[in-house]
Amino acid sequence: RVCSFLERVFPACVSGRESHPVQAFASLMEPDTEAQKQEGGIKEHEGTIPEDQPTAPCELRSIFAYFGGGAPVANVLLIFLPLLVLTQAKYEASTNNEFIEWRLDLIDGDLCNMTGTPNPAGSPEAYVKPDGYDKGCRWFPVNKNVPGVDVDYTGVMIFGSVISMILSAICLVTLGPLPDFKTLRFPILMYSTMLWVVMLAIIPAFASTGAWIGPLVLMSVASAAWALSFESCISGYVMVAIWNHADLQPLRTDPNVAASIRELGAVKKEGGVASLKDADAAEKIEEYLRISESLSVRINMIGSLCFISFQFITLLIQVVIVYILEPDEADPKDTLGLRMAVLSVAVVAIPVLALSLFWMKKRRGPEFPTKGSIFLIGARRAIETTKLLYKELPELLLFITGRILVWMTTSALLQTAVLFLEREFAMEGSEIIGMILYYMVIGVLANVTFYMIASTMNSFMKPVCIP
């Protein structure tokens, strides 16, 4: 019923959309028969869009919707999951025989009332601040190692972050290039999306502080799946949308320009476009590169605005949830607010991503090789692409590397700030999130302002400003 309704509301988008995910995966993985190869080369399934059809508006909407629907995961991976794991691990460390002590403001601050003695362990008010203690007194575990693993409770989260980064790197290198192939483009995007959504939906079930390793493992898997899904969307759909955009159609379908593009690929880097023999074709190539560059900047900037806008809106919802469900002082193991903040991301993402995947359309592309390991083919393709970029487009490779390093550095700084504030100052989640919210407000305003300024610049200046 939902599909039939959407078909009536979005008839232009439904034509040629991806079929039912499971059916699409099964049909797309079927190899071509010899007869089909002789008749038309690449087997086309029902609904596949011809290569020369311009990018439909719903295809761009699907990309922007995916950027928006997947954005709130950054809040979870960088803020709420670290706080959840840290809170659970810290409480477990406090259950050691040494119990807790009360210090002024800092983990190494002065002992409150010169002793820092807590209420009796096991009593209903064991974690309640004793009478006569200063307002700035906070409790810290005396023995900071988590029972069973003998690792500092902050180190547990750091190890989890390192594992998440390693898994993400492995997935991006081995599976990241595979969306270039027609038969794997949609299945990889869909199944990686389903994986991280399910992981985030399961995490809130780990209410016991002794089960802190569960959220940590699920966080690592969800982080790798999330990175792979965004890579699949960018390489499998964003680039295709730019290539088939209506603004490029007159030039790309020109036989002379198409031949010049192939010739340009064989031209030495020093010669550039000017080394093409046909002056008219060289001028059109310049126009083609200018338009494609402008489209790339515009689509990526709108996608970035959708990303940070959804991230900010969801963060507001999560802040409200954490404040409403703030734990009682006597029960520090209560993590309901943080767990519901994680669950809210799955609730927000499911309808937006479902609509995005519904709008996705098939495009022609190379078939996946029938021989060789899927992981080795992906890794080899990633290595060869890097070599090609280094040889032909070193500036683009530098830009891509810079974007990766900026994201990694920003993520590490934000997560480190969350861990530092909780460990050194024993700040609660509601206090830390207030500071992060201020950071996000500045980020949204900066992105909107930058987009407004960059949109007035010519296509040559835009790429210069982006890094």
Side-chain angles (χ1 to χ4, degrees):
R1 293 179 180 177
V2 173
C3 288
S4 62
F5 169 76
L6 291 173
E7 287 174 0
R8 294 194 299 272
V9 176
F10 307 110
C13 298
V14 170
S15 175
R17 74 174 189 274
E18 295 285 5
S19 57
H20 186 276
V22 177
Q23 295 174 350
F25 181 74
S27 62
L28 287 174
M29 292 303 290
E30 294 175 358
D32 294 344
T33 63
E34 290 300 325
Q36 289 170 329
K37 290 179 180 178
Q38 292 178 1
E39 290 176 4
I42 298 178
K43 178 179 65 176
E44 295 302 331
H45 302 277
E46 182 180 359
T48 301
I49 303 176
E51 185 69 24
D52 57 352
Q53 180 172 325
T55 300
C58 62
E59 290 185 271
L60 294 176
R61 287 199 297 269
S62 70
I63 294 171
F64 300 146
Y66 196 91
F67 274 74
V73 181
N75 296 339
V76 171
L77 297 178
L78 301 178
I79 304 172
F80 294 99
L81 268 177
L83 279 176
L84 174 61
V85 174
L86 198 61
T87 301
Q88 293 180 333
K90 181 180 179 181
Y91 181 83
E92 285 298 302
S94 72
T95 62
N96 288 312
N97 295 332
E98 296 86 347
F99 196 41
I100 63 173
E101 60 185 2
W102 289 84
R103 290 185 176 271
L104 187 62
D105 296 325
L106 303 173
I107 192 171
D108 294 325
D110 296 334
L111 292 171
C112 296
N113 284 7
M114 304 297 293
T115 62
T117 304
N119 292 322
S123 66
E125 297 184 347
Y127 292 90
V128 177
K129 186 185 302 181
D131 295 336
Y133 278 14
D134 189 88
K135 183 180 179 180
C137 288
R138 300 175 182 270
W139 69 265
F140 298 91
V142 177
N143 182 355
K144 297 172 178 57
N145 290 343
V146 179
V149 294
D150 199 29
V151 176
D152 186 286
Y153 65 87
T154 307
V156 164
M157 187 59 229
I158 294 176
F159 285 134
S161 299
V162 172
I163 293 173
S164 299
M165 189 175 296
I166 293 174
L167 283 178
S168 299
I170 293 174
C171 286
L172 291 178
V173 171
T174 58
L175 300 178
L178 298 181
D180 292 342
F181 298 104
K182 175 186 70 172
T183 52
L184 297 177
R185 184 176 296 155
F186 187 72
I188 289 180
L189 176 64
M190 182 194 65
Y191 287 117
S192 59
T193 301
M194 290 174 59
L195 182 59
W196 66 254
V197 169
V198 171
M199 295 295 102
L200 294 182
I202 293 176
I203 287 176
F206 292 87
S208 172
T209 56
W212 56 267
I213 195 170
L216 195 64
V217 172
L218 294 178
M219 180 194 73
S220 301
V221 177
S223 178
W226 182 67
L228 177 60
S229 66
F230 264 85
E231 173 62 23
S232 300
C233 181
I234 293 173
S235 62
Y237 289 93
V238 174
M239 302 310 297
V240 173
I242 295 172
W243 172 258
N244 292 281
H245 200 277
D247 293 352
L248 284 177
Q249 287 295 305
L251 290 171
R252 194 169 63 81
T253 55
D254 188 323
N256 294 329
V257 174
S260 298
I261 291 176
R262 290 191 295 270
E263 182 184 348
L264 183 61
V267 171
K268 296 296 183 182
K269 183 186 173 216
E270 296 79 18
V273 176
S275 63
L276 291 174
K277 299 177 181 179
D278 191 338
D280 181 61
E283 183 178 346
K284 290 184 178 180
I285 286 293
E286 291 280 11
E287 179 71 6
Y288 174 86
L289 295 175
R290 184 190 66 79
I291 295 176
S292 61
E293 180 183 89
S294 176
L295 288 172
S296 177
V297 170
R298 187 172 69 195
I299 291 175
N300 280 284
M301 289 181 67
I302 295 175
S304 298
L305 281 176
C306 292
F307 185 96
I308 197 170
S309 299
F310 269 79
Q311 186 182 7
F312 176 70
I313 293 171
T314 309
L315 182 60
L316 289 176
I317 298 173
Q318 292 169 316
V319 168
V320 173
I321 292 174
V322 171
Y323 271 98
I324 292 176
L325 301 177
E326 188 174 5
D328 185 71
E329 182 184 6
D331 189 18
K333 66 179 182 297
D334 180 13
T335 57
L336 180 61
L338 294 174
R339 288 184 287 116
M340 290 302 100
V342 174
L343 182 62
S344 66
V345 171
V347 173
V348 171
I350 287 175
V352 178
L353 295 178
L355 192 59
S356 171
L357 294 176
F358 181 84
W359 277 334
M360 291 291 183
K361 286 191 170 186
K362 295 180 187 175
R363 290 281 185 179
R364 287 179 179 172
E367 294 283 358
F368 185 76
T370 57
K371 296 181 180 180
S373 168
I374 185 173
F375 300 103
L376 293 179
I377 291 176
R380 186 166 60 249
R381 191 175 181 88
I383 294 173
E384 293 300 326
T385 301
T386 304
K387 290 181 178 179
L388 181 63
L389 287 173
Y390 178 76
K391 180 180 179 181
E392 301 292 341
L393 298 169
E395 296 86 358
L396 179 59
L397 180 61
L398 183 63
F399 171 70
I400 294 174
T401 305
R403 286 287 295 269
I404 294 173
L405 293 177
V406 166
W407 167 250
M408 291 175 60
T409 304
T410 305
S411 303
L413 287 175
L414 186 57
Q415 193 173 90
T416 302
V418 171
L419 298 179
F420 176 81
L421 292 174
E422 205 289 332
R423 176 183 174 82
E424 297 295 325
F425 300 94
M427 295 180 67
E428 298 179 354
S430 57
E431 298 174 300
I432 296 176
I433 293 171
M435 301 174 65
I436 300 299
L437 184 61
Y438 172 77
Y439 163 81
M440 288 297 301
V441 170
I442 300 300
V444 170
L445 294 177
N447 271 267
V448 172
T449 303
F450 175 76
Y451 177 73
M452 294 174 63
I453 295 175
S455 62
T456 63
M457 299 179 179
N458 58 46
S459 61
F460 173 76
M461 288 299 297
K462 287 179 181 177
V464 175
C465 294
I466 286 182

